[in-house]
């Protein structure tokens, strides 16, 4: 099932930056490409912290 959606989710950032109309669009593309990674790292850290606190309470 995921093999159907994976090609749709892949974004060519270099191509978008090359065809960008101005600098603000380039900034938006860069932020939009890094934001999911940053959110994923934040959620992983939050889960780690919660698990660590739960271990301390036992």
């Amino acid at each position: 099932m995921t093999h159907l959606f994976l090609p749709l989710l892949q974004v060519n950032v270099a191509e978008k930056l090359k065809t960008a109309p101005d600098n603000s669009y380039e900034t938006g593309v860069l932020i939009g490409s890094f934001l999911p990674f940053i959110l994923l790292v934040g959620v992983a850290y939050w889960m780690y912290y919660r698990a660590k606190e739960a271990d301390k309470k036992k």
Side-chain angles (χ1 to χ4, degrees):
M1 182 86 170
T2 58
H3 65 279
L4 296 174
F5 295 111
L6 192 57
L8 296 175
L9 297 176
Q10 294 177 346
V11 178
N12 190 356
V13 175
E15 181 67 30
K16 282 192 169 204
L17 291 178
K18 190 169 70 171
T19 60
D22 58 359
N23 286 340
S24 62
Y25 185 81
E26 291 176 9
T27 305
V29 168
L30 289 176
I31 290 172
S33 64
F34 288 122
L35 191 62
F37 176 72
I38 292 170
L39 290 176
L40 183 64
V41 168
V43 169
Y45 178 76
W46 176 76
M47 291 173 64
Y48 168 76
Y49 179 76
R50 293 284 302 233
K52 191 175 173 183
E53 291 295 316
D55 254 359
K56 286 183 181 178
K57 290 182 181 181
K58 285 186 178 182

